[in-house]
């Protein structure tokens, strides 16, 4: 048992050292991250929000100019799940001076996507946090529609 506990210690330090580090993700997790952050973004047009929602739902038969891409940016994304009240999920998304809040299923979906994207977890007093700053995603709907695994890239800094 002690051997297993000692084996975990380097992993904990590796996760902690990733906080504040520039990171990136691509493919499925990048598309999900861009869509879940982009849909509530005040900076995106209705056309782009609908395109992101369609792609995330696997509906690729929508018109979109072949040479245009969708850029999704957020200054900060912080999601919280409680390990005491296991029904509590919330996220706060900051876009410049505008803040959007998600809760319930939508917040859990974004929380899980942050984990899938490699964002390291942090915790305190009954809460688990996933957070990132400086999110920048580029989605190429034409490439996503090819169903070959490409067309979505995101960069961000892990942590608050």
């Amino acid at each position: 048992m002690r051997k297993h506990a000692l084996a975990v210690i380097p992993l904990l330090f590796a996760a902690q050292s990733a906080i504040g580090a520039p990171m990136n993700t691509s493919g499925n997790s990048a598309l999900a991250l861009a869509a879940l952050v982009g849909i509530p973004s005040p900076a995106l047009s209705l056309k782009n929000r609908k395109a992101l929602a369609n792609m995330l739902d696997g509906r690729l038969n929508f018109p979109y100019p072949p040479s245009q891409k969708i850029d999704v940016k957020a200054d900060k994304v912080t999601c919280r799940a409680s390990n005491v009240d296991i029904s509590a999920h919330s996220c706060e998304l900051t876009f410049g001076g505008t803040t959007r809040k998600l809760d319930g299923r939508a917040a859990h979906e974004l929380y899980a996507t942050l984990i899938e994207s490699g964002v390291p977890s942090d915790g305190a007093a009954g809460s688990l946090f996933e957070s990132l700053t400086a999110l920048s995603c580029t989605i190429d709907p034409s490439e996503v529609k090819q169903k070959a695994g490409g067309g979505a890239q995101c960069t961000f800094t892990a942590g608050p």
Side-chain angles (χ1 to χ4, degrees), residues 3-156:
K3 283 184 181 180
H4 295 297
L6 291 175
V8 172
I9 291 173
L11 296 174
L12 293 173
F13 285 117
Q16 288 297 326
S17 67
I19 294 175
M23 300 180 71
N24 59 58
T25 187
S26 60
N28 183 20
S29 60
L31 177 60
L33 182 58
L36 295 173
V37 172
I39 291 168
S41 172
L44 291 183
S45 67
L46 179 60
K47 174 184 92 167
N48 285 343
R49 292 193 316 264
K50 282 184 175 183
L52 288 169
N54 281 328
M55 288 183 283
L56 185 59
D57 286 341
R59 296 187 306 259
L60 301 179
N61 190 19
F62 61 91
Y64 203 85
S67 60
Q68 288 187 8
K69 296 182 172 125
I70 302 170
D71 291 319
V72 176
K73 297 187 184 306
D75 297 315
K76 186 174 183 180
V77 176
T78 302
C79 291
R80 175 189 175 276
S82 175
N83 57 4
V84 177
D85 175 1
I86 61 171
S87 69
H89 303 92
S90 62
C91 294
E92 196 168 277
L93 295 78
T94 305
F95 307 96
T98 303
T99 300
R100 300 276 197 248
K101 296 182 186 232
L102 303 175
D103 59 9
R105 183 180 291 214
H108 182 266
E109 188 175 14
L110 180 52
Y111 176 86
T113 300
L114 293 173
I115 293 170
E116 177 186 12
S117 298
V119 176
S121 296
D122 195 12
S127 294
L128 302 169
F129 292 94
E130 298 290 331
S131 64
L132 58 80
T133 58
L135 176 67
S136 179
C137 300
T138 301
I139 306 299
D140 183 344
S142 296
E143 193 173 346
V144 172
K145 287 179 178 192
Q146 293 174 16
K147 298 181 183 180
Q153 296 83 31
C154 295
T155 60
F156 53 88

